[in-house]
Each structure stands twice: as structure tokens, then as C-alpha cells.
Amino acid sequence: MLKVNDIRFESAEHVIQEIRNMNVKGGSPFGRAAAWAYKLACDQEVFSNREELQNRLDYLSSEMLELKPTMATIYNSKNLVYALLEANIDAEVLEIQEKISKLCQKIIDVSLEAVEKLGQFGGNIIQDGETVFMHSYSSALMSVFIHAAKQGKRFTVICTESRPLRESRLAAQILQSYQISVIYITDASAWEFMPKADYIMVGADTITFDGSVANKMGTALISKLAKMCNKKVFIASEIYKIDLRTKEGYQVRLERRTIEEMIQKGDFDSLDGIEVINQFFDLTPADDIHSIICEFGVIHPSTVGEYWGKLEKFIMEAAR
Amino acid sequence: MLKVNDIRFESAEHVIQEIRNMNVKGGSPFGRAAAWAYKLACDQEVFSNREELQNRLDYLSSEMLELKPTMATIYNSKNLVYALLEANIDAEVLEIQEKISKLCQKIIDVSLEAVEKLGQFGGNIIQDGETVFMHSYSSALMSVFIHAAKQGKRFTVICTESRPLRESRLAAQILQSYQISVIYITDASAWEFMPKADYIMVGADTITFDGSVANKMGTALISKLAKMCNKKVFIASEIYKIDLRTKEGYQVRLERRTIEEMIQKGDFDSLDGIEVINQFFDLTPADDIHSIICEFGVIHPSTVGEYWGKLEKFIMEAAR
Amino acid sequence: MLKVNDIRFESAEHVIQEIRNMNVKGGSPFGRAAAWAYKLACDQEVFSNREELQNRLDYLSSEMLELKPTMATIYNSKNLVYALLEANIDAEVLEIQEKISKLCQKIIDVSLEAVEKLGQFGGNIIQDGETVFMHSYSSALMSVFIHAAKQGKRFTVICTESRPLRESRLAAQILQSYQISVIYITDASAWEFMPKADYIMVGADTITFDGSVANKMGTALISKLAKMCNKKVFIASEIYKIDLRTKEGYQVRLERRTIEEMIQKGDFDSLDGIEVINQFFDLTPADDIHSIICEFGVIHPSTVGEYWGKLEKFIMEAAR
Amino acid sequence: MLKVNDIRFESAEHVIQEIRNMNVKGGSPFGRAAAWAYKLACDQEVFSNREELQNRLDYLSSEMLELKPTMATIYNSKNLVYALLEANIDAEVLEIQEKISKLCQKIIDVSLEAVEKLGQFGGNIIQDGETVFMHSYSSALMSVFIHAAKQGKRFTVICTESRPLRESRLAAQILQSYQISVIYITDASAWEFMPKADYIMVGADTITFDGSVANKMGTALISKLAKMCNKKVFIASEIYKIDLRTKEGYQVRLERRTIEEMIQKGDFDSLDGIEVINQFFDLTPADDIHSIICEFGVIHPSTVGEYWGKLEKFIMEAAR
Amino acid sequence: MLKVNDIRFESAEHVIQEIRNMNVKGGSPFGRAAAWAYKLACDQEVFSNREELQNRLDYLSSEMLELKPTMATIYNSKNLVYALLEANIDAEVLEIQEKISKLCQKIIDVSLEAVEKLGQFGGNIIQDGETVFMHSYSSALMSVFIHAAKQGKRFTVICTESRPLRESRLAAQILQSYQISVIYITDASAWEFMPKADYIMVGADTITFDGSVANKMGTALISKLAKMCNKKVFIASEIYKIDLRTKEGYQVRLERRTIEEMIQKGDFDSLDGIEVINQFFDLTPADDIHSIICEFGVIHPSTVGEYWGKLEKFIMEAAR
Amino acid sequence: MLKVNDIRFESAEHVIQEIRNMNVKGGSPFGRAAAWAYKLACDQEVFSNREELQNRLDYLSSEMLELKPTMATIYNSKNLVYALLEANIDAEVLEIQEKISKLCQKIIDVSLEAVEKLGQFGGNIIQDGETVFMHSYSSALMSVFIHAAKQGKRFTVICTESRPLRESRLAAQILQSYQISVIYITDASAWEFMPKADYIMVGADTITFDGSVANKMGTALISKLAKMCNKKVFIASEIYKIDLRTKEGYQVRLERRTIEEMIQKGDFDSLDGIEVINQFFDLTPADDIHSIICEFGVIHPSTVGEYWGKLEKFIMEAAR
């Protein structure tokens, strides 16, 4: 099974450093890294009173959020820790440290198990002889395909290359290593090959509170076309990627990246009058998504808020 | 104005040779090249009787069609010449040669003027301050944009790069040279940027008898999305690109090209179990096309057959 | 090839009689029968003057139209004959008789050839390995499938049974006899099996002037669903089935038939309060039809009026 | 029957004057007025040579087009007259005058008959017990309803008021006078009442060469909604309203009118920061139109160009 | 009111036997039958310890599930009983038996009341003078219509016959007995008659966790067409029909039944090359369903999981 | 911030009186007024026993509901008070009075805060430079725009006038006073101007249990068009406007108002045969709504029932 190997963090400062060095990648690892930072501070450091602890946690939070200001999973870890603090307003500092440590361990464990669980549920969806259409790369998605393969299903995956970085190459290689047959096409071929697909499966970068999904550019396009010709779109993602600020109306920031990823030396003599835009993510509205495959099962996109509530309660109970 | 420079063909054999060497490119140049072949044979060669002439024309036809078996414009030139032959069953061989030469000259002239004319009509469509969405490269399309610019219109063109060959780079450079502002994006961004566009304009590789259009992969996808959100799709193309065999139910052959255009060294260790498909053309149904911008004006796609009839009559009259 | 065997009519009266006995079936046979009636009258009977001839033709027309008041093809034959009369206002009665006879022969010949020609064009559409979705029975449609089979194509046809009479049983048997593989399903399964089909092919009972098609109940439903998921709908029909009165705004009468075709003894104790409706035909709007496969080729539905003009001219020339 | 009463023009100058005084209203009356101007000049005035005549016609044309620069029907009358001039390059001036007079009379006659003819065709469409949805006012549309009523059909018309001028009040009054029952609703209620309608019928201000229709603001909205729920949209209009410049890519100018039509005294203290826009016309794409009810019959919108050709030929023959 | 008469089961073995003899029919009766089996075993049999009880329950479960391996309601009853077992791990065997008996009684009571309750809610939806479109037969649906009739509403029901078994005959007869007027049509007429309907109401065989519904073949087709023309689709079903395994990604098994139901003696000489498929159920995606009428009220399909949670809690409390 | 000024009610009778005098306007004020009535009765009046209190509350309820029989918010206040009564079946009358008073105070406070909270959430949605499309008037909607303006966002609002009463004039004036730029158009222009809008925001009169929204006529039309071209529709409304009777299948009563609002003196001589309908509200199905902006955040329409549950619990706790 796709082994998720988090960095072996040594201390809270180490977490900050690894984030700064861009060694942490993907929404889920960031959420766990934040949990590690809080946990290691509570496990390793000594605080004479609650205020000291609070200051330390504030410092760690601001460091991490300065480096990744739009990362929903860091916010989620921070919010859980702070909710715990508030719920234990009169407790001894040592007791709080212990509780935070337990809570963060739970955050980490739950996240690591989620990819495994949703992989099983997604694997159950895939039937022998079917063809699945995917786009870009996502470890949750890989987990789904690998589970299906391990269940003995024989199926085909159509991969669009996903310009500019063509992350689907990595997906194709992983699928290849599990003897899953792959059809590899350009992004512009999505509509041409869609009739061959039984349904669509993609990952998620961020989930909004009302069930929409930010993911690699092209996901919304493919989902809209799929909807139009009555093919289901499944999103494979743990619930922890929900961006709770969207509940308050804040919009998911859809990153644009460097144009160097899109153009190469020699493509243009000059860029005078040519604006190259490397819009990296887009937002697929909940309406175009059939279900989200998460650690709780295959759920309707409109219920992500309800499941976040369950997840939050489950994690918080670890620190009672 | 975009100067169309056909090769200066020396003889019928020279035409064949240049086709073989792949120096003739694009539907329109192929149609003219075929006309050159027939014309040069009739101008330069001596035939003792009608049968000799017929044999020579048959030979030239079969050579050209063997090299480009799916090229509608070669068929169109051939069919016009053969219709002339049939209509002059009792004429002297010299008289026929002269008539074929005139007919072929007309074919060439008409084609060269068509891009100019449709450029003017298309230029009239574009209004100051508008944004046009295009895909891939087409000289007819360039003619439209250049005419609009020369008419003093200031507008913006959104170009999808058009993987795998990214022909839009050439389009962007030409637009740049006319001070037309360009936004250059990946193909997968088509849906994200469509709200910014007032309408879509693309070229055509081949037109079917019922008004559908074969063009660079991605055209059908973009047209379907445009239709969905009520943006008009215009096709810029001379009528000569019609494939008359589609009237009899034959399907346009949608070329697949070498996968080397899609993948580079190092992309994959091996391609075991990975089928790379470089489907180069797709077919946009007439339903998704608002109008065709051709040498006759801006016409409804369903009327291409009617306009072919007019064009054929006009050309044939040259040889009366 | 599907041999079309018209009844061997002996006289004009015989035609009327066979229509009355309901031995003439299908739009095309009715058009030819009417031509036979006029032709046999002109060949066999003696008229002392133009007025006598006119009276005879009027009588035949009114007899036939009283029996089949909504049959477009009878009107078409009648209208052609009467146009000829009008164009020869000063001719001798014998000369007119001869001209009518020629005209009617042409009507008959053209109709018999049409099914053959459109079968070839339609056969060209079908490619090896494809799956075609059909509904009900139509001899034009059978001609398409048989031509495809004779061209060596191996393909599958999905047949909905077409309640209440389940005419698809006959279609399935004919296809079976040509070794074409058939999937036979209930009408309600149309949507379930549509993803397996590459496109839809059906016949026509009547064509309206703006390109809509009346056909067996269910055709409009299937066409709407096909349109929605981007599958092309082809109609196989000769142009002669056009109902020219629709040009003047008259609506095609969509027949309801006896409820005995729908319910059997024992289905209901009584029909008090239950209205059983056996609506036998529906009207598919031109918008939902991709092309009409007719004797002129594979044409856009909006051009049926134009092709009727060509057909009329072609037939009328026979009597010049 | 709706009596069309053109002004009794006394002279070419009188025509110009009445146009200037805004006593000519509606596309069709403008086309006829232009014909009157040319005709009266040719009937009443003396020209010593062809050049003098040409100058006079040029003067009249520029006067009329300066007053109504976007009126397609004036252009159409002008173009027919000028085509006649060109076709008679060597004729005597008197002969030309006579021909122009005949041509213009034909233009006038044909236009006056057109509304009558299309009224009959449209009336045939309407069936007993049906409900028709209309918007704004159009004399062609009134002709349709009156013919249906005279044919004895009992039906209901739903009228949206058509803000800002609420021209539907006039329509309602005319329908009332023919005992046609009317449901009168606000424009915003269009979607709420559409399920009660069997189909939509509206008029046209201008028809584009590819079959789209400019008409009172709201027509495109209603047509799009009708299309969505599978109700047919019929346009009642004579073909003469075609704007031939659209064939060359020029866009129909969609007039905005004074905001005084939209707001009344007291509606706002000031308009600082409030842009009131009285966009008076919109453009319904051919795709959303089922048929055009014109003097030739009920035709597919894509064929308007073909019918313009027929009309032009028919009119020009009058002056042979 | 439609009296639901379950079989009077004598013992657990009797339940198994009746299932084996196919005397239990419909999702709800199966769920209750399973509850009876567990209850009767606990009421009538003696177990010396918990293990013996467990073995007995395991045996009953495996017997029932072997006979009906895809029946969601049997799983639901089983799961509730087993959850109770687990929650009472340390209780005396007699106490557990008593609790299981209470729990099962609750399952039975709740199910019997559900059809009554949802009938009232659904009856409230129907307004005087409306026309409802239905398909196939469902006792929950009948309950809705009967309640509406008892509330004094006068309305019309359009019934598609629902080939191959034409279960709608039974529906028509029941409606007839309540003086509800019925229009009885073929399945292929669904699109033709939909404009006459105000909305659609059908039953359910199984509900998936994300709100989709498996029901008699044709339901998905009708729902898709209804959605397209903006008519609401209501599903009448108790929540107990939810298939919880779909939460884990397992797909609802859509039964195919014997082809004898579809073809009769004499339909075909042989079936060589003809594959007859009697696909009996299809799956309507949650997107095409407006609301589910269940015992909790008229709910959004995406909330079925939430209501299952409420139902489960309510039932489990009976055994506290 | 938009100051919500409820009437200063003096007594329960005063509330009734003000409702009777039509001084209470809007769903939220009615809900609060009902709470005031119950609260003032409990604060000011003396009841010797529970029965007396019950009778008084019954009287107040029936008075209010007789005056406004379709107002969901009055029902909601009543139901909360009666649920409290039932939950305190054995309490002393004075204790109950106190509890009711607290509960009603909570209802009032929560409602007053809701508009403020949802204004903030909605304000967060709006981004600098965007254009928002609105229709009619709603104080919740105004709160959203004012919050966005106070957050320093510069944006444009397109207002349809909203015939017949043109409530958008008030909206335009309020926006004007906050320097928000406004484009003011007719209702029929909604489709023409929609391409300029980034998304739609409207208010709500009533919310149904499954997430549909009743609002000023035209809302459903605009939402359907927006959905079609992929623009999000946001509804700004507090959850308290939910009509819980819709859970039981009862339909929201969509008011028709006096035709004097639609026609003026002189519009028609008589209304014989003209039915003027002033349908004032329509119902937008949940499917066409992207999110509801409420006091809990920006939620999926299908979850309104869930949030009502939370709100009810939160309010009830005030009276524990």
C-alpha cells in the first residue's frame, strides 16, 4: 500500500524549518506537520504557566501561517488546538500540554488512516472491466486505484497529462507498477476520450464548506463536461482538507504559479504584449460532483460540513 | 496582410515531389498544389489524344492521393478537373488542355482570394474592447485578426497553447507583431478563462457536408463548453476545405500522430501498459458552431453544401 | 438487397381498391401507388378532352385522399401531376396523358432507387466495431444496416422493442438473417443502454418542411436523450416523405391508434376512469437530429426543403 | 384584417420629410418608404441623362440613411435599385426610370402582401385550445393571431407587458377586439407562466443573415428559457427585414433608448453613481429559434439567406 | 388505507421458509421479516449462554442473506440487532433476548407506520386539479395517492405501463378504486405526455447513501427528462430501504431478470445472434431527484444518511 | 450598519394591533413581533394557572395567524413557545412565564444579530472589482453589500427594477448612499446583462425544508438563467425564514397581489377578456441555488433543515 512517510520531525523548530525549506508537500502533510509542531513543543518544552504556553503556540502558528497563508489544513490543526485551550481554561499547564499532545497525536493518526480507508471505499466502487478517467496526481486517488487492483479488479485508467507540470506522468508510473493499464492523452483530448470512460475520479487540494473542490487546473472543465454527458464525478479526499474559512464567505485562493513552468527558452523572442498565465488551480462547484470519497465513506458533497463536525468531535474526544 | 506564398512549382512532377517532401502544408495549399499539377501538365506537356491526357491526369491524381489519402482539397481539385473532362467529351485534346489550365488557374486564384475576403468579414465581427478566445493556429484565423487590427479595433485574444505542438506560440507571435494583446494559457484553463471571452474563433482542417468541422484536438471541447455558456463559436475557413465524400456518409479520418510529439525522453522508463495516444484532430458538430466565416460571408454551418454549389459553379464557369 | 415489391397494380381502380383493403403500407408505397393510379388511368383510359381527363384525375385524387387523408406522399404525387397539367395548359389531351405517364413512371423509379442509394450512404457511416441504437422498424433503416453488412462491417444494433406492436421484432429478425448482432431491450431501457451506443439511427414516417421528423412513438424521447449526452441522431428516409403542407404552417397529424393494441383481455376489469391512449407517432424537432440520410446523401435537416426542390425539378424534367 | 396604411407620399422629398418627422415607423414601412422615394423621383422628375438620375438617387439614399443609419430595409430597397442600375448600364435614362418605377412598385406590393401571407401560415399553426406566449408588439404577429381567430380557432395568448414602453398593451387591445382571450403578466413572470404555454411566437425587428433575430429586449431571454424546456419559438416576420450587411460580419446595432422611458420623476433624488440603461433590443441566436413564419412559409432560420435570394430574384424580375 | 398485511410468522424457521418460497415481496416486508426471524428466535427459543444465541442469530442471518444476497433491508435489520449485541457485551443472555425482541418489534412497528406517514406528507404535496406522472408500482406511492384522494383532492395520474411486467396495471386498478382518474400510456410515450404533468412521483427499490435511488427500469430515464424540462421528481420511500453498504463504495446490484418476461412464444424463431436483456432496475442519480418523501417528511436526497442516523437512534432507544 | 428598528411594542395587544394595521413588514419582523406578543403577555399579565396562560397564548396565536395565515416566522415563534410549554408540563405557571419570556427574548436577539452576521459572511464573498447581479429588495441583501463596502471593496451591482413595484429603486438608493456603483435595468434585460455579472445575490421571503426559496417574482427566472451559464446564485437570508410545514409536504403559498400594482388608469379601456395576473412571488428550486448566506455561514441549500435544528436547540437552551 502507498506508504505515507512523514518527515521524522525532531522539534517544533524543525517543523518550521522543514516547511520553510519546502520539504512538506500536499494538504494532508501540512496539517500533520502543524500537529507535530504543537505536539513536540508540548512534549519537549517547559512552560511555567499557561500564558507562556499560549505565547509559544501563537509563535508557532504565526510562523507556519506566514509561510503557508492559504493552507486550510494548518488552520484546522491550529483551530483544534486552540479550541482545546479554550475548553480547559482553568486547567494546569502540564495537564494542558498533555492534552494537546494527545490531541495532536490523534490528528496525525486520523490523517494517516484516512487515505487508507478512503482507498478501500473508492476501490469498492471500481468494477471489473471499467474505465476510469482521471486528471493530474493525488495520493488519495492513487490509494483508490491501488485498493481496486489489490481487490483483483482489472480496469483501465485514462490519464490527461495535466500541463504544465504533467503530474500525471507520476500517476501513470504508479499505476503501471500495479499492472493497471493506462491510456495517456493530452488535456485537450478530455472530451474526445470521455465517451470511453465509465466515470471520473480526481483528488482535491481544498474542499469548501458547501462541497465545492479546488484542485489542479482542468478539474472543473472535466467535471462540467462529465456532468453534461451524465458521467459521475468522484472526488477522493480526506475531510481534513476542508477550508473552514469558506463557511464565513472567504473564497479559496486559487494559486497562480510561475510562468516558467509553462514556457521554455525559445518559445517567444519577447513577451511584450503577451500575458502568460499559469493559473494552477480551479474550483469545481458542488453541483458538478457526484460524491466525495472520504474516510467516512462515499458521501454527498453537500454533507462535508456535517462530516467535519463528526471528525472534529472524534479528534477532540481524544483529549478529554 | 498575411502574404500567402505558394511554392513556385516548375512542373507537375515538381508538385508531386514537393508533396512527397512534405513542403506543402495546410488544406488550402494542398488544393492549390493539385491544381498546379494539373495545370502545369496541360500547359507544358504534349498529348496526342484525349486518352493520353486522361492517363496522365490519372497518374498525377493517384500519386497525390497516395501521398495524402485523406486530403479533401486534393479531391476537390481533382473532381473539378474530371467534371470538366466529362463535360467536354467530344472536344479536341488541345482545347481541353486549355480549359483545364484556365480552370486550375481559377481554383488557385479563388483560394488565394478567399483568405483575404473571409479575413475582412471576420474582422468586421470583432468590436473594440472585445476579447476573443482562440485555439491552435490557422492562417484564415490570423487573417481575421489582422484585418480587425488594420480596421483599428483594439481587442484581446486568449490563446490556449494547443498541446502537443503548441502551435499557438506561432499565433501569439503573429498577433504580437500586430500589437494585438494576447493572454496565453494552458489548454486545461479553457473553462476558467472562458467567462472573460465574448466569443470563440477557430480555424478548420476539414468541413463536412452537413456543417461539422474537423480541427486541432480541443476544438470540439472548447466549442461544447462555449455552447453551454452561450458564447458563439465562429469557424474561419474557405469553403474549399469541404470534404464531399462526407455527403455519401464517409467519415472524416481524424489523424493520430506520433507519440514522440507528446512525450520526451525521461518521461517514462518504459511504456509497458501505458498507451500514449496523440489524437491530433477532433470533430466539432454543426450544432455547436454558430457561423462559418468564409469567402461568401458569415454563413450558417448548415449551408456549406449550398455554398460549395455556388463555388463549384463559379469555378467551372471559368472554363466554359 | 431488401427487395421492394410493390403490388402489381392492374388499373387505376385496382390501386384504389388495394388502398381501401389496406394492402398498401408505409409512406413510400403510398406515394408510388398514387403515381400508379394516375399512370394507369393515362395509359389505359381514353379521354375525349382535357376536361374529362381532369375530372378523372380529380376523382382518383379524392378517392385516395379520403382513404388516407394525412398521407404526405399521396399529396406529393398528386401535386406533381397537377403541376404538370398546369404547365401544359394548351397541350393536346393525348400529349398530356403521355407526359403524365412518364412523370409517374419517374416518381416510381426514383422512389425505388432512393432506398437503395440512402442505404449505401448510411452504410458508409457505420464503422467496424461500432454499436448503433435503433427504435421500431423502417425499411430505409434496414437498407442502411444491410449495406453496412454487405460492406463487410461487423457491428451491433441495439433494438428497443417498440411497444405496443413491437415492430422491432421484425427488425431483429432481418438483422439476424444478415448475421448482424442484436441486443433486444424494452423501450424503458433506452437510457440505460445509450452509453453503449455510438449513435442513433431511426426511420421516418413524415418529414416536415423545417426538418423535423414524425416517427414511431419513442423516437423524440430517444433523440432528446441522445442529444443530451452528445450522441448523433441520424434519420434514414427518402426526401419524398416530406409533407409540404407543413410549409404553410399545417401540423403533421400524429395518429392515435386503437387501444386494443395496448391492452389485452384481462388487463383491467373495466376502464371506468382509466383513459388508455395509444399515441402512435411523435415529432422529433430538427434541433435534435444531426443529419438525414436520404437519396441525395447525408444532409443537414434544415436543408430538406432545398432537396425537395431538387427532387421535384428532377422528376418534372422527365415529363418535359 | 389588420389594414396596413402607408402614408400617401406625394413626392420623393415628401418621403424624406416624413422620415425626418418620424412618421414612418417599423422596419417594413421604412423599406416601402424608400421604394416610394425612388419610384416617385423616377415617375415625377426629369433627368437629361443617366448621371443626373444617379446623382438624384445618391442624394435620396444618403438623406434617408443619414436619418436611419441602421435600418436594414432601407438598405435593401437601395441595393435592389442600384443592382438594377448596374444591370442596365447601357440603357436609355427613360427606360431605366420606368424600370426603377416598376421595381419599386413590386417592392411595395410584395411587402404589403407578405404580412397577409405569413399571417395565414402562422394562423395555420395555432390549434384549438392552445396557449401561445408572446412578448411586446409586432404587426406580423398580430396578423398571425387574427388569421387564427378568423379560422375559428379559440386560443389564449399570454402577453408579457414588455417594459419600459409596455407595447403589449396595444397587442392585448387588438387581441381583445378579436375576442381572443389574453393573460397579461409582468416580464419577470415569463418563467412562471411558461409551463402553461404550448409555444412562443414573437415578431422581429431585424433578421441576420445566419438566421438570428433582433427584437424587443426580453425576446432572447424568453427564447432561451423556452428552448430549455422544449417549447418551440416561432418568429413572425417578412424576409425583407434581413440585414444583408450581417453577411459581411457587421453586427446588428442594438439600440439603447432614452432613460426617460424607464424612470419617472421622483424615482431617484439623483442619479449619481446609478447608471440607468434602457437597452431596447436584444439578439436571439438562430439556435434558439424553431422556425421563422414568413411570406414563403414556415422555414428553418438557417435558410433565410436562401429565401432572400428567391425574394430578390422575384422582385428583380418585375423590372426585366 | 392500504392495509399492509405481513405474513403471520410462526417461528424463525417459518420466516426462512417463507422467504425461500418467495412469499415475501418488496424491500420493506423483507426488512420486517428479518426482524421477525430474530424476534421469534429470542421469544421462543432457549439459549444457555450468549454464544449459543450468537450462533443461532448467525445461522438465521446467513440463511436469509443467502436467499436474498442484495436485499438492503435484511442487512439493516441484521446490523441493528448485531449493534445491540455489541452494546450489551456483558449482559445476561435472557436480558439480551428481551432487548432484541423489543428492538425487532420497534423495527416492525416503525416500518408499518412509515408508509402511512409518508403517504400523508406526499398527499399534502398534491393540489386540486394537478396531474402527476408515475411509473411502475410502489405501495408507498399508492399510499401517497390514496391520502391525497382522502384529503378530497381531485387529480389525474399518468401511468406508464412499465414493461415487461406492466406493474402499472395494478396501480391503475387501485387508483380506479379510489376514483382517481388515470391516463394509461406506453413507456415510450413518457416524453410526449410529460408536458401535461405538473411533476413526477415514483417509488424506490433501494436508496444509496448519497441519495440516488434504484427503482424499476425507466425511472432514471423519466427523471432525466423531467429534470431537463424543469419538472420536480419526488421519490416516495421509507428511509429503511437505504443500502448502507453503498456508503463504503459498494454498488447497488441492479438485477436482470429472465427474458421470458420480455418475449413470448412465436416472437422469434431462434435467438441466435439476438441477445435479449431484461434489465429490471436502473439507478436515478440524486441530482435528478427533487425530494424524497419519507416518514420524516419531504427531504432533500442528500440528507438520507442524516435521517438514517436519526432512525437508527430512534429504533435502538427502544432496546435500552 | 443598516439599523433594524422594530416597533417598540407596549403589550401583546399592541402587537396584534400593529400587525392588523400592517405596520409590521418582512418575514423576520413578523417572527420577532410574535415573540414580543408572547413575551409581553408573560411579562405583564397575571395567570392564576397554567390553563389560563395556555388560553391566552392560544388566543394570541390565533389572532396573529388569522391576520397572516402563511407567515412561516410566526409559526416558528409559536412552535418554539409551545414546545417549551410541553417540555415544562409540570412547572409552576410563574416559572413557565419566566421561561417563555427568556425564550422570546432569545428569539428576538438571535434574529437581530442574524442579519448582521450574514452580512459579514456575504461581504467576505465579494471581491474587489467584481460585479454582482441582484433583483428586488431585501434587507439581508443590503446588509451583505454594506458590509462589503465597509470592508473597502469596490464593486458594481446590477439591479433589475423588479416590476410591478420596482422595489429595486430603494435598493439602488441605499447602495448609492454607500458609494456602491449601480447599473439599473429592466427585468427583461436580465439575460442581456448577465454576462457582465460574476454571480447573483438575492434575498428570500421563505425557505422550504428541502432548500428551495420563495422570493419576489423573477428570482426563479434569473436563477435558472444563471445556472445555465454557470454563474453561482447566493441567497441571503436568516434561517428563521424556514417554513417547517413544507417538511410535511405543504406547499409554500405564492401570493398574487392586486392588479392595480400592474396597470394604471388609461392602460386599457376595459379588461373584458384580459386576465391581468400580478403573481408576486415565485419558487426557486434548491438545484438552482449555489449557497445560502445565513447567520451560520455560507451553507449548501440542502442543509437548511440541519441548521434549523441547531438554531432551535440554541434558542431553546436559553429557556432551560
Side-chain angles (χ1 to χ4, degrees), chain E residues 124 227 230 291 296-298, chain F residues 209-210 224 247-248 287 302:
Chain E
N124 292 340
K227 169 91 179 191
N230 278 290
S291 319
F296 290 96
V298 182
Chain F
F209 193 74
D210 58 7
K224 182 57 67 185
K247 189 177 179 180
E248 299 186 0
D287 265 8
S302 70

Side-chain angles (χ1 to χ4, degrees), chain B residues 190-211:
Chain B
W191 184 227
E192 180 77 13
F193 285 83
M194 203 168 279
K196 295 192 193 309
D198 290 289
Y199 41 83
I200 318 301
M201 283 183 165
V202 286
D205 192 70
T206 306
I207 304 176
T208 72
F209 193 75
D210 58 7

Side-chain angles (χ1 to χ4, degrees), chain F residues 290-305:
Chain F
H290 186 265
S291 319
I292 295 181
I293 307 167
C294 68
E295 65 267 43
F296 290 96
V298 182
I299 66 170
H300 193 281
S302 70
T303 61
V304 289

Side-chain angles (χ1 to χ4, degrees), chain E residues 99-205:
Chain E
K99 284 188 170 189
I100 290 178
S101 179
K102 270 197 210 161
L103 178 85
C104 290
Q105 189 61 49
K106 191 78 182 174
I107 291 173
I108 294 159
D109 293 348
V110 155
S111 170
L112 290 172
E113 284 162 25
V115 172
E116 178 68 19
K117 274 194 195 165
L118 69 86
Q120 277 175 322
F121 299 144
N124 292 340
I125 293 174
I126 297 173
Q127 305 301 310
D128 229 66
E130 289 185 338
T131 298
V132 189
F133 194 109
M134 65 157 279
H135 178 66
S136 194
Y137 176 82
S138 137
S139 57
L141 193 56
M142 290 303 108
S143 176
V144 167
F145 291 138
I146 293 166
H147 272 94
K150 296 218 161 165
Q151 290 168 10
K153 318 271 182 68
R154 293 175 60 86
F155 58 100
T156 298
V157 177
I158 301 176
C159 283
T160 41
E161 57 179 10
S162 192
R163 278 278 293 165
L165 298 184
R166 300 192 289 149
E167 294 92 334
S168 290
R169 286 176 298 171
L170 175 53
Q173 283 162 14
I174 291 173
L175 296 171
Q176 186 186 42
S177 73
Y178 285 88
Q179 278 80 49
I180 299 164
S181 72
V182 171
I183 296 174
Y184 182 81
I185 59 174
T186 60
D187 299 332
S189 307
W191 183 226
E192 182 76 13
F193 285 82
M194 202 168 281
K196 295 193 193 308
D198 291 289
Y199 42 83
I200 317 303
M201 282 182 167
V202 285
D205 192 70

Side-chain angles (χ1 to χ4, degrees), chain E residues 204-219:
Chain E
D205 192 70
T206 305
I207 305 176
T208 73
F209 192 74
D210 57 7
S212 300
V213 167
N215 196 41
K216 180 70 189 290
M217 174 53 59
T219 303

Side-chain angles (χ1 to χ4, degrees), chain A residues 120-122 124-127 227 230 232 234 287-291 296-300 302-303 306-307, chain E residues 208-212 224 227 245-251 283 285-288 300-303 305-306:
Chain A
Q120 276 175 324
F121 299 144
N124 292 340
I125 293 173
I126 298 172
Q127 304 301 310
K227 171 89 178 193
N230 279 291
K232 295 175 185 171
F234 295 96
D287 266 7
D288 294 344
I289 298 168
H290 187 266
S291 319
F296 289 96
V298 182
I299 65 170
H300 192 280
S302 71
T303 61
E306 188 189 337
Y307 284 99
Chain E
T208 73
F209 192 74
D210 57 7
S212 300
K224 181 58 67 184
K227 169 91 179 191
R245 291 161 300 173
T246 59
K247 188 178 180 181
E248 300 185 359
Y250 294 105
Q251 300 301 292
L283 188 72
D287 265 7
D288 294 344
H300 192 282
S302 70
T303 61
E306 187 189 337

